[in-house]
Amino acid sequence: MAVDLNYEKDSKERIPYEHYLEVYQNADPKEISSRCDVPYDAEKQEFTVSLMGVSYRISWPEYNVFHIGDDGSVSPIIGWYPLEKKPNAKILVLRYLTEGGAAPSTGKFLTYREIPWGEVYFKQFQGRCLFRLAFGFGGKLDAFREIMERVGAQAISSGDVGYELEFMKGLFVRLILWAGDDEFPPSAQILFSDNFPAAFTQGEDMAVVGDVTIDMLKALAAK
C-alpha cells in the first residue's frame, strides 16, 4: 500500500512524518536491518517488520507498506492493519527504524512512570491510554479476553484479567484490567518490557504504543 496519508497542511503529524521519512530514505538499509534486527531483502528492497502479530513488507526507500498472510501472500490475518493506514503507527515504526534499536529484555516490566520522561508526561498517558483502556473494556472482560486470544497474546496472572502481547519483535506490553465494583470504577495498567527505552527514545513513543494497541482492541471489538 503506497504512502498516502492525506495530511492537512496544518496536521501535527505531517511535519514529523516528513522529517523521519527523509531520514529513512537517506539511511543505509543494511545498517537499519542490523541495528533493529529486522530482515532486509536487498533484491526486493524490503524490510519485514512485525506489529501486534501481523507481519508487514516495508519498501525502502519509498516506505510503502503491505501486510503479509501466513503463506507469504497479501491476505488478512486479524483484519486490522494500522501500519498501512494509521499515521501514528507509521511514524512510530519510522522512528524505530531511524533512531531506535533492538536490545534484549531482562524480563522486567516498567510502568510508564519508570521510563525516561514518563513522570513528566504521565497525566497525558493516563488520559490517552489507562483511562481509555479501563473504561473501554473494564466492563467487557470477556470481549477483551476474546480479542487478546485472537491476536495470540498470553494470559498472565495480574488484575482481574491480564495479557502479555508482543507489540514488535522482542518488545512486549502487558495490558491489565480491574473490573471495578459499586465503590470503585474500573481501572487499568499498561506495562512495557524494559528494552522499550532502547527501541524508542521518547516518552511520547510509549504513549503511541498504548494508543495503537487500544485502537486495535476497539477495532476488533467492532468486528
PDB file of all heavy atoms in Angstrom, residues 18-30:
ATOM      1  N   GLU A  18       7.165  13.662   7.611  1.00  0.00           N
ATOM      2  CA  GLU A  18       8.056  14.027   6.510  1.00  0.00           C
ATOM      3  C   GLU A  18       9.514  14.048   6.958  1.00  0.00           C
ATOM      4  O   GLU A  18      10.405  13.650   6.200  1.00  0.00           O
ATOM      5  CB  GLU A  18       7.641  15.384   5.943  1.00  0.00           C
ATOM      6  CG  GLU A  18       6.309  15.336   5.203  1.00  0.00           C
ATOM      7  CD  GLU A  18       5.863  16.688   4.689  1.00  0.00           C
ATOM      8  OE1 GLU A  18       6.499  17.708   5.063  1.00  0.00           O
ATOM      9  OE2 GLU A  18       4.886  16.737   3.927  1.00  0.00           O
ATOM     10  N   HIS A  19       9.757  14.478   8.198  1.00  0.00           N
ATOM     11  CA  HIS A  19      11.135  14.501   8.715  1.00  0.00           C
ATOM     12  C   HIS A  19      11.709  13.087   8.799  1.00  0.00           C
ATOM     13  O   HIS A  19      12.798  12.821   8.275  1.00  0.00           O
ATOM     14  CB  HIS A  19      11.172  15.160  10.089  1.00  0.00           C
ATOM     15  CG  HIS A  19      12.468  14.936  10.813  1.00  0.00           C
ATOM     16  ND1 HIS A  19      13.650  15.562  10.452  1.00  0.00           N
ATOM     17  CD2 HIS A  19      12.782  14.117  11.864  1.00  0.00           C
ATOM     18  CE1 HIS A  19      14.633  15.153  11.250  1.00  0.00           C
ATOM     19  NE2 HIS A  19      14.120  14.286  12.108  1.00  0.00           N
ATOM     20  N   TYR A  20      10.979  12.185   9.456  1.00  0.00           N
ATOM     21  CA  TYR A  20      11.510  10.831   9.636  1.00  0.00           C
ATOM     22  C   TYR A  20      11.538  10.052   8.326  1.00  0.00           C
ATOM     23  O   TYR A  20      12.411   9.204   8.125  1.00  0.00           O
ATOM     24  CB  TYR A  20      10.717  10.085  10.707  1.00  0.00           C
ATOM     25  CG  TYR A  20      10.950  10.658  12.077  1.00  0.00           C
ATOM     26  CD1 TYR A  20       9.932  11.325  12.762  1.00  0.00           C
ATOM     27  CD2 TYR A  20      12.202  10.578  12.680  1.00  0.00           C
ATOM     28  CE1 TYR A  20      10.153  11.881  14.009  1.00  0.00           C
ATOM     29  CE2 TYR A  20      12.437  11.134  13.926  1.00  0.00           C
ATOM     30  CZ  TYR A  20      11.412  11.779  14.580  1.00  0.00           C
ATOM     31  OH  TYR A  20      11.639  12.340  15.808  1.00  0.00           O
ATOM     32  N   LEU A  21      10.623  10.355   7.416  1.00  0.00           N
ATOM     33  CA  LEU A  21      10.664   9.714   6.109  1.00  0.00           C
ATOM     34  C   LEU A  21      11.934  10.108   5.365  1.00  0.00           C
ATOM     35  O   LEU A  21      12.594   9.261   4.740  1.00  0.00           O
ATOM     36  CB  LEU A  21       9.434  10.104   5.289  1.00  0.00           C
ATOM     37  CG  LEU A  21       9.358   9.515   3.879  1.00  0.00           C
ATOM     38  CD1 LEU A  21       9.327   7.988   3.923  1.00  0.00           C
ATOM     39  CD2 LEU A  21       8.137  10.049   3.140  1.00  0.00           C
ATOM     40  N   GLU A  22      12.317  11.381   5.448  1.00  0.00           N
ATOM     41  CA  GLU A  22      13.554  11.821   4.788  1.00  0.00           C
ATOM     42  C   GLU A  22      14.773  11.132   5.391  1.00  0.00           C
ATOM     43  O   GLU A  22      15.686  10.701   4.671  1.00  0.00           O
ATOM     44  CB  GLU A  22      13.702  13.344   4.899  1.00  0.00           C
ATOM     45  CG  GLU A  22      14.941  13.879   4.191  1.00  0.00           C
ATOM     46  CD  GLU A  22      15.057  15.390   4.264  1.00  0.00           C
ATOM     47  OE1 GLU A  22      14.207  16.033   4.908  1.00  0.00           O
ATOM     48  OE2 GLU A  22      16.016  15.929   3.679  1.00  0.00           O
ATOM     49  N   VAL A  23      14.794  11.006   6.722  1.00  0.00           N
ATOM     50  CA  VAL A  23      15.902  10.306   7.380  1.00  0.00           C
ATOM     51  C   VAL A  23      15.961   8.850   6.913  1.00  0.00           C
ATOM     52  O   VAL A  23      17.030   8.313   6.597  1.00  0.00           O
ATOM     53  CB  VAL A  23      15.760  10.379   8.912  1.00  0.00           C
ATOM     54  CG1 VAL A  23      16.846   9.546   9.598  1.00  0.00           C
ATOM     55  CG2 VAL A  23      15.828  11.824   9.391  1.00  0.00           C
ATOM     56  N   TYR A  24      14.796   8.218   6.874  1.00  0.00           N
ATOM     57  CA  TYR A  24      14.703   6.822   6.438  1.00  0.00           C
ATOM     58  C   TYR A  24      15.206   6.658   5.008  1.00  0.00           C
ATOM     59  O   TYR A  24      15.970   5.736   4.697  1.00  0.00           O
ATOM     60  CB  TYR A  24      13.242   6.384   6.548  1.00  0.00           C
ATOM     61  CG  TYR A  24      12.902   5.021   5.995  1.00  0.00           C
ATOM     62  CD1 TYR A  24      13.176   3.867   6.715  1.00  0.00           C
ATOM     63  CD2 TYR A  24      12.253   4.900   4.763  1.00  0.00           C
ATOM     64  CE1 TYR A  24      12.831   2.609   6.217  1.00  0.00           C
ATOM     65  CE2 TYR A  24      11.892   3.654   4.265  1.00  0.00           C
ATOM     66  CZ  TYR A  24      12.194   2.515   5.001  1.00  0.00           C
ATOM     67  OH  TYR A  24      11.843   1.276   4.504  1.00  0.00           O
ATOM     68  N   GLN A  25      14.800   7.557   4.126  1.00  0.00           N
ATOM     69  CA  GLN A  25      15.166   7.437   2.719  1.00  0.00           C
ATOM     70  C   GLN A  25      16.654   7.642   2.489  1.00  0.00           C
ATOM     71  O   GLN A  25      17.207   7.140   1.506  1.00  0.00           O
ATOM     72  CB  GLN A  25      14.345   8.438   1.893  1.00  0.00           C
ATOM     73  CG  GLN A  25      12.869   8.080   1.843  1.00  0.00           C
ATOM     74  CD  GLN A  25      12.018   9.124   1.159  1.00  0.00           C
ATOM     75  OE1 GLN A  25      12.360  10.308   1.150  1.00  0.00           O
ATOM     76  NE2 GLN A  25      10.893   8.711   0.591  1.00  0.00           N
ATOM     77  N   ASN A  26      17.309   8.361   3.391  1.00  0.00           N
ATOM     78  CA  ASN A  26      18.745   8.613   3.256  1.00  0.00           C
ATOM     79  C   ASN A  26      19.599   7.657   4.090  1.00  0.00           C
ATOM     80  O   ASN A  26      20.824   7.776   4.094  1.00  0.00           O
ATOM     81  CB  ASN A  26      19.070  10.056   3.647  1.00  0.00           C
ATOM     82  CG  ASN A  26      18.566  11.058   2.630  1.00  0.00           C
ATOM     83  OD1 ASN A  26      18.912  10.995   1.453  1.00  0.00           O
ATOM     84  ND2 ASN A  26      17.728  11.981   3.066  1.00  0.00           N
ATOM     85  N   ALA A  27      18.960   6.725   4.771  1.00  0.00           N
ATOM     86  CA  ALA A  27      19.676   5.785   5.627  1.00  0.00           C
ATOM     87  C   ALA A  27      20.176   4.589   4.823  1.00  0.00           C
ATOM     88  O   ALA A  27      19.757   4.347   3.687  1.00  0.00           O
ATOM     89  CB  ALA A  27      18.777   5.315   6.757  1.00  0.00           C
ATOM     90  N   ASP A  28      21.088   3.849   5.430  1.00  0.00           N
ATOM     91  CA  ASP A  28      21.600   2.604   4.847  1.00  0.00           C
ATOM     92  C   ASP A  28      20.695   1.468   5.314  1.00  0.00           C
ATOM     93  O   ASP A  28      20.638   1.169   6.513  1.00  0.00           O
ATOM     94  CB  ASP A  28      23.040   2.375   5.323  1.00  0.00           C
ATOM     95  CG  ASP A  28      23.632   1.075   4.811  1.00  0.00           C
ATOM     96  OD1 ASP A  28      22.903   0.261   4.200  1.00  0.00           O
ATOM     97  OD2 ASP A  28      24.837   0.856   5.036  1.00  0.00           O
ATOM     98  N   PRO A  29      19.959   0.818   4.416  1.00  0.00           N
ATOM     99  CA  PRO A  29      19.026  -0.220   4.858  1.00  0.00           C
ATOM    100  C   PRO A  29      19.708  -1.392   5.563  1.00  0.00           C
ATOM    101  O   PRO A  29      19.107  -2.001   6.458  1.00  0.00           O
ATOM    102  CB  PRO A  29      18.344  -0.662   3.560  1.00  0.00           C
ATOM    103  CG  PRO A  29      19.269  -0.251   2.473  1.00  0.00           C
ATOM    104  CD  PRO A  29      19.935   0.997   2.954  1.00  0.00           C
ATOM    105  N   LYS A  30      20.934  -1.700   5.177  1.00  0.00           N
ATOM    106  CA  LYS A  30      21.643  -2.790   5.854  1.00  0.00           C
ATOM    107  C   LYS A  30      21.970  -2.410   7.292  1.00  0.00           C
ATOM    108  O   LYS A  30      21.923  -3.257   8.192  1.00  0.00           O
ATOM    109  CB  LYS A  30      22.909  -3.159   5.080  1.00  0.00           C
ATOM    110  CG  LYS A  30      22.621  -3.774   3.717  1.00  0.00           C
ATOM    111  CD  LYS A  30      23.900  -4.157   3.003  1.00  0.00           C
ATOM    112  CE  LYS A  30      23.586  -4.777   1.633  1.00  0.00           C
ATOM    113  NZ  LYS A  30      24.821  -5.126   0.891  1.00  0.00           N
TER     114      LYS A  30
END
